[in-house]
């Protein structure tokens, strides 16, 4: 068991890049959302616009996105954190282009974070860039350096967010050795491509985008299951959760916390709130009086 | 006809439409008409995708059309598409205006007249207040006059009363619908809500996903693309950013009156 | 353009492992299926039972399978080919555990094949095995050796079937250099995992299975698109085709032939026949008089 | 009740059932009853999954039960589950028997009596012919007698007429349904089809995916899991392998009479 625990009750959060901003979290908290905490969009070292629209494409079975990490200036983030009237804890997701970037961000944001989630694995890029996935998740060495730099800068829990498209066992091991407290599985899949047959051209800027939603679920579930066996770190599961059964699957595979993203597509604030309650109530009914810890990893029958 | 795809049934991302007419409404404003009518409530919008240029939201001004004011690169490109052009659109999206039984006041400024034109078709004998800088800003005048009484103000007095639209208020009504520049709407709202009028306001924010996921379009935590763009006055009370600030493409805050506004 | 062309009209086939046997192909041909040819299940060097049931799991959005390459004895395959009263051409899919295995199979099966599809990329295993994906698709070197061995054994077109889970650009390049005539994108994704919350255990033998159907579509489409730009080889596309729009997407991305698999789930012979016609008629309506070659790759607007 | 998952609506892979009774029908045959009734036509089957053991097809013999003959590892494990055990099942799968208005002949041998039991409930006053090696093989006798006239043959004469079921044929009928060992069915079919009788036959083949994809269950190109397991005589004419051979787990052909048959 790690010394640094992420205390989140209920153990449900939004996924990074979903809802993104503190004002949306405050709104959802006021309306009674059933999440134990929130995860910010990935905050970067400098203002970025991200890609031009269209940045999402619904395949009918999952979502492709190529937001490519838009982020307001860090000063604005700090002001927003200062002014935020929020009771639930916030996991701060960060990204950068070097270990120093990550460490600097942690220094500036430390007092606002319950924990830091390191985005090591976004497959999306603005034109001409290399992706975080390419720079970091594909290289256990790089991942080790980033985590070590962050470890040096904070005592808060560190969550290493992995990619399903790389050798995640190696990345996870590197993150673990460098001092990560949690693993997060997973960032988006692929990337994939969308074409509009009517206009006969690709849809997303640069053609491709990360795939999320139901297609990711079995892949991410396999990651959680394998990493639970391999490493002693607790796991936050992301990927295709739509209903309580999906959340239960992740707990059985070994996740301690489950994150929700694409399932909120097209949902108003009231509908978002309703869905979180449906999911958590379903989990409670499944537990039928047992504690959650009894089912975490219970799908590992050998 | 080819068998429709089960994958796409009810959840196709884009609808392909062909532009059948590009009608100049004024020097800077054009309406595009499509070969397809949308079942929509006034206030709902389409995301219009121009490959290589971008994808942006436009309110339905007609069941089969939108109205665009040339203010920047995208709107200029859009306003210049020729009839026969194929476009891919998403929508109608968002929450439009509710049913408004009783006496209805429609208050419009700038491109806000676009959703208001469609709304005028969906309510009974509205009283319509239109405001602009100059005569050229008053759109759809004939069509509004065909639906109810119309009162106009312009800042330069080139048509209607000289002054601001707020000077025509308060008019008594059961419902009021506001579409226009946010400072105008904020000012009108203050005057109106003291009366016993249910007020609805149509907001605009920078949109990316337009499906409630990314948070780009937030106004004080409400995601305009799914919770709006139409909000009731009761909700607006809770929205500090209304009339104050909005997020730009990066998420940076800017004042609502700043930038090249389309109003 | 390759010297060795796979002539298939219409340019639709079943995916390997779907329908699998010649007697099923004969039945479908008699009933008027709208496929230009058939692809056998992957034929191996020796009889194999594959995994114990359950070998499939429907996630509700895609299919996990872990058949793990069952194959009757080669002698039986030869007898079946001899006796087969089939008009449409057959692409023979083969697998082995060494370059020699592949070459031997080609020697024995050469006279029955329109072309050979090399399964370099199946992620599924019987307990204790290494997967074809792990042995071959993850190593461009190995892929080069297998393709070269097959090239030495036959003049028939060689199709290298790639994995979406590995560095497919490198694998494809190795296959191309070693003399492959076609690329096939792609074999199944992941693998992913399925858990039964009711019984609180994993479903598939060994836990994981390859993911196919709609989740694979955008990923495989990205592969086709990128490989079309990178290499001069024509491409056979597999992955998540459910309707004519999906087939059109693949043609626009650069595929010359499109394969159908998971879309046939739960379909009777008559329904399979109907679906193939729906897909091909949709493509023809989309073409609206144009030849197919006009749209192959036409989604590449630069 | 927890909100059902949209992902699973109408396409859940497994249904969890609890065994409420395990009833011995004979020395080697048991029926399992579940806490759930299935809406099914006789002839349809369930895939029953025993974690760690396997997953195999069993015909519904009751709306809420199946009947299993202990012949190998899976069927022995299945026949010994205790009441209270939770099982995961898929189905009902496949095509069952059609409506059979008129005079119906039911012909059963071995575990074929399982689907026949359910079928006897779904047709009016059938004439039922049952065959076995010995008295112990004749299942559900009381229940069959409650539905129509029953005639029996056993090879050792321990009950009914001594001999083979084919000796009771031809009986005149509008419809006949055959469930039993394939050689018996093939022989019966030959005798029957010369008469003006519409004959349906229930086949068994080794099943893997049970969803029509893998081809494991092919009988002369018909995938038994989706095209069958019930076929009409008209289709059977086209099936060379019927009564001759089937594919084992690897796809290898074996004679239908070979191996440890459950009949
Ligand atoms: C719900 C909604 C309905 C709209 N309806 C109409 C309409 O009916 N007619 C019309 O002409 N315009 C409408 N707009 C505005 C339109 O989407 C574009 O913003 C506008 O055409 C300017 O785009 P541009 O690229 O030409 O100019 P730019 O140079 O990009 O921007 C000009 C100004 O518009 C703002 N803006 C840019 N992009 C967006 C965006 N995606 N969403 C919101 N604001 C943006 C900028 O902050 C800037 O102040 C609507 C916007 C929203 C959110
Ligand atoms: C549509 C269908 C309905 C069936 N209904 C019943 C039923 O109501 N009652 C019943 O007792 N049995 C039924 N069976 C047979 C059952 O599925 C098992 O095959 C049988 O119980 C033997 O399994 P085992 O592992 O115990 O024996 P094994 O040692 O595996 O096999 C014994 C014999 O059964 C055959 N067999 C094994 N597995 C399968 C399989 N998955 N499908 C078909 N044949 C197989 C083998 O070829 C062998 O000859 C049905 C089979 C099918 C295809
Ligand atoms: C629109 C969108 C934006 C995202 N932005 C980020 C991001 O900024 N940082 C990050 O680590 N992951 C980001 N992701 C990935 C999600 O956090 C999550 O890992 C993924 O979507 C899988 O979960 P889901 O299937 O429930 O959506 C984004 C996903 C989407 C759909
Ligand atoms: C049940 C099943 C069995 C398969 N068996 C094989 C196989 O033997 N050899 C092979 O190369 N691919 C095999 N595949 C992969 C398919 O050929 C195909 O690449 C994949 O299913 C993607 O296409 P789809 O999404 O249309 O099913 C199998 C797939 C399934 C679902
Ligand atoms: S535009 Fe993404 S949430 Fe509204
Ligand atoms: S069992 Fe796979 S096709 Fe019938």
């Amino acid at each position: 068991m790690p010394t640094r625990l992420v205390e989140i009750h209920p153990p449900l959060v939004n996924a990074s890049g979903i809802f993104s901003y503190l004002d949306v979290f405050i709104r959802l908290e006021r309306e009674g959302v059933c999440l134990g905490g929130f995860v910010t969009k990935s905050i970067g070292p400098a203002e970025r616009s991200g890609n031009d629209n269209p940045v999402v494409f619904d395949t009918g079975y999952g979502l492709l996105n190529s937001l490519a990490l838009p982020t307001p200036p860090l000063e604005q983030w700090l002001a927003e954190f200062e002014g935020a009237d929020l009771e639930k804890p916030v996991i701060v997701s960060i990204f950068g282009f070097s270990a120093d970037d990550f460490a600097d961000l942690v220094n500036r944001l430390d007092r606002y974070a319950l924990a830091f989630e390191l985005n090591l694995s976004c497959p999306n890029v603005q034109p001409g860039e290399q992706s975080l996935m390419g720079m970091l998740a594909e290289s256990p060495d790089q991942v080790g350096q980033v985590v070590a730099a962050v470890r040096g800068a904070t005592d808060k829990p560190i969550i290493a967010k992995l990619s399903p498209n790389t050798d995640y066992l190696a990345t996870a091991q590197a993150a673990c050795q460098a001092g990560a407290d949690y693993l997060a599985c997973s960032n988006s899949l692929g990337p994939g491509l969308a074409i509009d047959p009517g206009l006969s051209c690709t849809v997303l800027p640069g053609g491709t985008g990360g795939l999320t939603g139901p297609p990711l679920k079995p892949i991410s579930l396999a990651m959680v299951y394998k990493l639970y066996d391999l490493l002693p770190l607790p796991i936050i599961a992301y990927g295709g959760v739509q209903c309580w059964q999906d959340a239960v699957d992740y707990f059985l595979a070994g996740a301690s916390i489950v994150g929700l993203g694409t399932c909120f597509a097209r949902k108003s604030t009231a509908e978002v709130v309703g869905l979180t309650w449906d999911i958590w109530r379903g989990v409670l009914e499944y537990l039928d009086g047992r504690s959650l810890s009894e089912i975490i990893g219970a799908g590992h029958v050998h | 006809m080819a068998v429709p795809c089960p994958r796409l049934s009810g959840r196709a991302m884009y609808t392909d439409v062909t532009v059948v007419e590009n009608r100049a409404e004024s020097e800077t404003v054009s309406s595009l008409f499509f070969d397809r009518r949308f079942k929509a409530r006034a206030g709902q919008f389409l995301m219009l995708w121009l490959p290589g240029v971008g994808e942006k939201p436009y309110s339905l001004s007609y069941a089969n059309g939108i109205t665009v004011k040339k203010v920047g690169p995208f709107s200029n490109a859009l306003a210049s598409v020729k009839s026969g052009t194929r476009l891919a659109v998403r929508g109608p999206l968002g929450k439009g205006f509710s049913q408004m039984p009783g006496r209805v006041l429609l208050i419009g400024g700038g491109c806000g007249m676009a959703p208001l034109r469609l709304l005028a078709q969906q309510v009974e004998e509205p009283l319509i207040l239109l405001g602009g800088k100059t005569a050229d800003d008053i759109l759809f005048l004939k069509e509004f006059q065909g639906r109810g009484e119309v009162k106009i103000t312009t800042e330069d007095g080139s048509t209607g009363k000289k002054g601001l639209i707020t000077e025509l208020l308060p008019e008594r009504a059961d419902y009021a619908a506001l579409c226009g520049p946010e400072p105008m709407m904020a000012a009108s709202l203050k005057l109106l809500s003291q009366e016993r009028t249910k007020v609805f306001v149509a907001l605009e924010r920078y949109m990316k996903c337009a499906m409630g996921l990314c948070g780009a379009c937030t106004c004080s935590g409400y995601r305009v693309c799914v919770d709006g763009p139409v909000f009731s006055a009761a909700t607006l009370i809770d929205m500090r950013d209304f009339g104050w600030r909005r997020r730009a493409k990066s998420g940076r805050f800017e004042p609502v009156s700043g930038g090249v506004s389309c109003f």
Side-chain angles (χ1 to χ4, degrees), chain A, chain B:
Chain A
M1 268 293 108
T3 36
R4 298 180 197 82
L5 271 178
V6 177
E7 302 278 1
I8 294 267
H9 305 286
L12 300 177
V13 295
N14 66 297
S16 179
I18 308 298
F19 306 143
S20 302
Y21 296 111
L22 297 171
D23 56 345
V24 185
F25 303 162
I26 294 168
R27 173 65 42 207
L28 290 167
E29 180 171 292
R30 297 248 166 96
E31 305 293 332
V33 77
C34 187
L35 298 175
F38 299 103
V39 183
T40 65
K41 92 196 300 351
S42 294
I43 299 175
E47 184 180 7
R48 276 167 69 92
S49 293
N51 272 328
D52 288 341
N53 280 358
V55 286
V56 291
F57 184 83
D58 186 347
T59 71
Y61 281 83
L63 190 78
L64 296 170
N65 91 75
S66 184
L67 270 292
L69 303 167
T71 181
L74 186 56
E75 298 306 324
Q76 178 177 320
W77 275 110
L78 296 171
E80 289 193 58
F81 274 111
E82 276 302 328
D85 183 14
L86 200 61
E87 288 190 4
K88 294 179 193 285
V90 175
I91 295 172
V92 177
S93 171
I94 55 173
F95 75 94
F97 302 97
S98 67
D100 283 352
D101 278 354
F102 278 90
D104 288 348
L105 283 163
V106 166
N107 282 326
R108 304 289 300 276
L109 291 159
D110 205 41
R111 49 187 299 215
Y112 309 112
L114 172 73
F116 286 100
E117 184 174 274
L118 313 186
N119 183 347
L120 309 164
S121 44
C122 179
N124 301 317
V125 292
Q126 288 180 191
E129 288 181 347
Q130 211 199 340
S131 70
L132 294 178
M133 173 176 104
M135 280 191 310
L136 305 176
E138 281 179 8
S139 154
D141 262 16
Q142 289 293 321
V143 164
Q145 285 173 33
V146 167
V147 174
V150 171
R151 183 73 295 158
T154 184
D155 269 333
K156 297 278 172 76
I158 298 173
I159 304 159
K161 188 165 179 184
L162 308 174
S163 166
N165 313 307
T166 64
D167 183 353
Y168 56 81
L169 299 179
T171 326
Q173 220 140 11
C176 180
Q177 271 154 23
D181 302 289
Y182 277 73
L183 302 170
C185 310
S186 63
N187 217 313
S188 50
L189 196 64
L193 187 109
I195 284 188
D196 186 89
L199 302 178
S200 181
C201 63
T202 59
V203 179
L204 299 170
T208 61
L211 182 60
T212 64
L216 180 52
K217 157 85 192 295
I219 310 283
S220 194
L221 193 65
M223 293 174 70
V224 171
Y225 193 92
K226 289 184 192 164
L227 288 167
Y228 182 86
D229 277 342
L230 185 75
L231 294 170
L233 301 190
I235 299 168
I236 307 185
Y238 300 111
V241 175
Q242 286 202 296
C243 58
W244 65 268
Q245 283 100 328
D246 293 321
V248 165
D249 282 357
Y250 276 121
F251 290 128
L252 291 171
S256 304
I257 296 172
V258 168
L260 310 170
T262 305
C263 62
F264 294 129
R266 302 190 185 86
K267 294 210 158 33
S268 68
T269 296
E271 290 165 338
V272 166
V273 170
L275 179 56
T276 58
W277 279 103
D278 286 347
I279 290 174
W280 185 237
R281 273 199 215 103
V283 172
L284 288 179
E285 271 184 49
Y286 177 85
L287 286 174
D288 197 19
R290 289 174 295 176
S291 77
L292 188 69
S293 59
E294 279 182 67
I295 71 159
I296 291 176
H300 292 248
V301 187
H302 292 292
Chain B
M1 246 302 287
V3 172
C5 183
R7 170 171 69 90
L8 300 174
S9 68
R11 37 181 179 175
M13 181 76 175
Y14 287 105
T15 312
D16 289 342
V17 297
T18 301
V19 175
V20 294
E21 189 190 340
N22 180 335
R23 181 190 297 169
E25 305 283 0
S26 77
E27 282 275 304
T28 54
V29 176
S30 305
S31 292
L32 300 183
F33 294 91
F34 309 128
D35 59 347
R36 215 200 109 114
R37 304 175 71 79
F38 294 92
K39 226 180 106 58
R41 297 205 64 81
Q44 288 190 287
F45 62 96
L46 300 179
M47 290 296 282
L48 266 127
W49 170 35
L50 293 178
V53 187
E55 187 204 33
K56 295 210 163 178
Y58 290 87
S59 311
L60 283 160
S61 51
Y62 295 83
N64 63 337
I66 56 112
T67 299
V68 51
K69 186 175 167 82
K70 295 181 245 180
V71 297
F74 188 87
S75 49
N76 272 291
L78 186 60
S80 63
V81 301
K82 301 245 160 12
S83 104
T85 306
R86 288 175 77 181
L87 298 177
V89 307
R90 295 198 262 158
L93 301 172
K95 296 207 168 35
F97 289 97
S98 319
Q99 300 279 7
M100 298 191 273
R103 176 120 182 97
V104 181
L105 198 57
L106 304 183
I107 305 171
C111 323
M113 290 173 213
L116 219 60
R117 201 218 71 91
L118 187 60
L119 183 57
Q121 316 296 314
Q122 297 178 349
V123 298
E124 292 301 317
E125 288 193 59
L127 171 59
I128 303 162
L129 314 184
L130 305 176
K133 289 216 169 61
T134 174
D136 208 43
D137 291 344
I138 308 302
L139 305 172
F140 312 119
L141 184 56
K142 284 253 163 58
E143 299 184 66
F144 280 124
Q145 284 167 338
R147 297 296 307 162
E149 193 191 336
V150 178
K151 297 189 189 177
I152 296 174
T153 60
T154 51
E155 292 178 31
D156 67 358
S158 54
T159 186
K161 207 181 142 205
K162 181 169 170 152
L164 296 173
I165 207 168
T166 40
E167 292 162 30
L168 297 177
L169 296 172
E171 294 274 359
R172 293 194 159 274
D174 300 313
Y175 292 91
L178 279 73
C179 309
E182 219 162 297
M184 173 281 257
M185 295 197 292
S188 304
L189 185 65
K190 265 188 207 134
L191 295 169
L192 273 167
S193 42
Q194 292 135 1
E195 313 295 307
R196 291 225 199 80
T197 304
K198 286 206 177 117
V199 186
F200 294 94
V201 168
L203 294 188
E204 297 192 1
R205 284 296 180 272
Y206 197 94
M207 286 183 185
K208 295 197 168 201
C209 74
M211 51 170 70
L213 290 176
C214 72
C217 65
T218 168
C219 179
S220 291
Y222 287 100
R223 287 157 296 137
V224 171
C225 67
V226 286
D227 290 324
V230 175
F231 292 94
S232 72
T235 306
L236 285 160
I237 289 171
D238 233 17
M239 290 163 78
R240 258 196 343 157
D241 291 354
F242 171 61
W244 174 27
R245 61 183 186 177
R246 65 185 173 206
R247 290 184 190 270
K249 193 176 176 189
S250 69
R252 184 174 33 76
F253 281 122
E254 60 182 23
V256 287
S257 45
V260 186
S261 168
C262 75
F263 311 113

